[in-house]
Amino acid sequence: MTADYADFTDSKESNGGSVWKHNRHSTQRDRFEIRTAIATMRAATIVLCLLTMLVVCATAQSNPAAIPAQKRHIVIGAGTVLDGRGHILRDTRIVVEGSKIVALDPKASPVDYDLRNFTVLPGWIDSHVHITWSFGEDGKNAGADETTQFAAYQSASNAWLTVMAGFTTVQSVGAPRDVPLRDEIANGAIPGPRILTAVEPLEGRGEKTGTPDEIRAFVRKQKEAGADLIKIFASASIRQGGGMTLSQDQLNAACDEAKKQGLRTLVHAYKDAVRAATLAGCTEVEHGTMATDDDLKLMAEHGTYFDPQAGLVIENYLVNKKRFLGTPGYTEEGFAAMERVLSLDRDIVRRAVRTPGLKVVFGSDAVAGAHGRNAEEFIDRVRDAGVDPMSAMVSANSLAAEAMRMGDHIGSIAPGYEADIIALDGDPVKDITAVRRVIFVMKGGVVYKNVPRGVIPAYAGVQP
């Protein structure tokens, strides 16, 4: 599979007949590959767990509280708290029992983690990543197709880098190889963010995509395969002009069937496809480059969530051009197009946040080279697209949780919510670059990172 800014029509699985036929012929292969991925992921687990133990123990030499002990009652002292809903709390203490926040009590004691000199906020949610995308042993883009041991190690590493960078939940949209990684993390075998996955995306190919009934069957198959949501490509690559690749009837069928199955839909859409996805009742539109102001207003009226990108995805491609160039979907012409479209991406973000009532969530579209650097998208949005810093934080907290239908579980610091808590060396409301300085990470009540100010180790993700 290729990521959203890649030319998905060049992918290995883009040439055969209808969705139904494609799914039927690939089921046996996918099951084999997933079983292989699970086996290699488990092998990777052994190595990664050993590395994790070494890192945690090394950190604990300077800060013994960094070891995730079996203590079930934890008190965190906080001077400044961004609650994830746009409010600032001062001088309080967060009480955690098991995996949940149970109280905000300024008098709770004793304090186990003193974060009074930092900014505390909920763990971030990235609504759009490709967590299993990596560079291969030859250093070139390998996408998410490989199921080798090396690829499994890389996937585990991507998960580690992502959670160390403060992202405790991610939505990985479009690879069957996400499934074993999601499950191993959920089982506690591998450290990483909570993962929601679309498994295999619906790739628009006009009439070849299939009839509405075949598309409905495809959606049901994804649910059977364990999908948390349905990903739909309704537009061609932006480098090919972003034209629609699905008809209105096809989009209607996909999003309607997903609703019947209790699943959300994320639609890769540019230009006219933005309006079509909105009218089809799809849950969320990704990218949206070249959408009109009327399209943005229509999304607001329909309650459609919007996830544009202001820079990281294209910046990452350009920085790693040599590693992507020549692999499926990446040409010199494509890179020239990405350079041209960067200003359009910033423009759509700028117009989106000025559209009354439009729910703009945070998504980085992180692929190989960007894992662990997801927070750079915050800086692009604030610095280059004029997004209010507090709104940027909320877009990756309570609003993103709401879009995932998890608004009563994650994305806020409040009693009853999952204890997904991070701390920054600095205040992102005053200096957005503070998002690069994550010094504390707790996910589900387990501390994965606790380092002194000024010590941002390599395993936190590549820092600029």
Side-chain angles (χ1 to χ4, degrees):
M1 294 295 170
T2 52
D4 293 357
Y5 271 87
D7 179 2
F8 65 82
T9 59
D10 287 341
S11 72
K12 295 180 180 178
E13 300 176 349
S14 64
N15 297 320
S18 70
V19 164
W20 175 249
K21 292 178 182 177
H22 165 75
N23 191 75
R24 183 183 63 197
H25 293 313
S26 64
T27 298
Q28 186 175 5
R29 182 202 64 207
D30 285 346
R31 287 176 179 169
F32 172 76
E33 290 179 343
I34 289 172
R35 286 197 300 269
T36 303
I38 290 172
T40 52
M41 195 69 69
R42 285 173 177 163
T45 299
I46 297 172
V47 176
L48 189 64
C49 285
L50 290 173
L51 291 174
T52 301
M53 291 172 62
L54 291 173
V55 170
V56 169
C57 290
T59 304
Q61 291 178 1
S62 60
N63 189 348
I67 298 177
Q70 296 300 311
K71 189 173 182 181
R72 305 303 294 165
H73 181 89
I74 296 173
V75 177
I76 299 172
T80 301
V81 177
L82 309 185
D83 72 349
R85 302 170 180 170
H87 306 120
I88 300 176
L89 310 178
R90 303 287 186 187
D91 300 322
T92 191
R93 294 176 183 179
I94 305 168
V95 183
V96 174
E97 290 186 1
S99 68
K100 302 284 188 179
I101 298 171
V102 297
L104 297 177
D105 181 0
K107 297 182 180 179
S109 63
V111 172
D112 298 285
Y113 295 94
D114 186 354
L115 302 177
R116 288 176 298 173
N117 294 322
F118 306 103
T119 302
V120 176
L121 62 159
W124 289 315
I125 301 167
D126 193 329
S127 299
H128 189 155
V129 303
H130 298 271
I131 196 74
T132 52
W133 270 58
S134 61
F135 297 121
E137 294 183 77
D138 61 357
K140 300 284 284 186
N141 170 48
D145 288 335
E146 292 191 359
T147 54
T148 63
Q149 282 192 336
F150 183 82
Y153 295 144
Q154 292 297 96
S155 295
S157 175
N158 293 343
W160 172 254
L161 291 171
T162 300
V163 76
M164 285 293 114
F167 289 85
T168 51
T169 301
V170 300
Q171 197 157 243
S172 191
V173 284
R177 292 83 187 164
D178 294 343
V179 175
L181 182 62
R182 176 195 66 183
D183 295 345
E184 292 295 283
I185 290 172
N187 291 334
I190 293 176
R194 190 178 295 105
I195 294 176
L196 287 78
T197 179
V199 189
E200 185 178 359
L202 173 63
E203 296 188 352
R205 297 188 298 275
E207 292 183 0
K208 292 182 179 180
T209 310
T211 66
D213 284 344
E214 288 174 325
I215 287 173
R216 287 178 183 276
F218 177 85
V219 170
R220 293 193 294 271
K221 285 289 184 180
Q222 298 317 300
K223 183 174 183 177
E224 292 173 10
D228 301 298
L229 66 148
I230 301 297
K231 173 66 180 298
I232 302 168
F233 281 94
S235 291
S237 166
I238 191 65
R239 294 169 298 177
Q240 296 178 321
M244 284 186 64
T245 56
L246 291 173
S247 69
Q248 187 69 60
D249 286 343
Q250 289 172 321
L251 262 177
N252 291 347
C255 292
D256 180 65
E257 188 62 35
K259 284 182 182 178
K260 289 180 178 179
Q261 298 300 320
L263 299 176
R264 297 172 293 109
T265 44
L266 269 71
V267 183
H268 166 105
Y270 302 112
K271 299 164 59 176
D272 296 341
V274 173
R275 173 172 291 270
T278 303
L279 293 175
C282 306
T283 311
E284 185 171 316
V285 167
E286 304 295 303
H287 312 308
T289 310
M290 292 184 282
T292 67
D293 287 344
D294 285 341
D295 295 334
L296 299 178
K297 292 176 183 177
L298 187 68
M299 279 195 285
E301 291 168 2
H302 283 249
T304 307
Y305 295 94
F306 185 39
D307 177 25
Q309 283 73 48
L312 174 62
V313 59
I314 290 182
E315 292 165 353
N316 179 67
Y317 279 136
L318 297 178
V319 167
N320 290 289
K321 179 178 178 179
K322 291 181 179 179
R323 308 181 83 174
F324 283 97
L325 193 62
T327 63
Y330 297 97
T331 64
E332 286 286 1
E333 294 77 12
F335 274 94
M338 284 195 285
E339 289 188 37
R340 292 193 298 270
V341 84
L342 187 56
S343 62
L344 297 179
D345 284 352
R346 291 168 179 165
D347 174 68
I348 194 66
V349 174
R350 187 178 298 110
R351 289 190 287 122
V353 297
R354 293 176 182 173
T355 302
L358 182 55
K359 298 178 180 180
V360 182
V361 300
F362 179 89
S364 67
D365 199 2
V367 295
H371 303 298
R373 298 196 302 116
N374 314 56
E376 292 299 304
E377 175 68 16
F378 285 126
I379 298 173
D380 290 323
R381 292 189 181 202
V382 172
R383 180 192 61 203
D384 301 322
V387 176
D388 171 70
M390 180 64 85
S391 295
M393 295 299 100
V394 172
S395 74
N397 286 149
S398 61
L399 188 57
E402 176 191 307
M404 292 180 178
R405 299 177 186 166
M406 298 179 71
D408 56 350
H409 298 297
I410 62 174
S412 299
I413 291 183
Y417 281 73
E418 285 293 314
D420 295 349
I421 300 167
I422 66 174
L424 310 180
D425 181 5
D427 184 346
V429 176
K430 297 176 181 176
D431 174 15
I432 194 60
T433 64
V435 299
R436 293 170 174 162
R437 301 187 294 277
V438 178
I439 59 95
F440 179 89
V441 176
M442 171 186 279
K443 180 195 139 196
V446 176
V447 175
Y448 288 88
K449 180 180 181 181
N450 183 29
V451 298
R453 167 177 276 129
V455 181
I456 308 296
Y459 59 81
V462 179
Q463 301 296 322

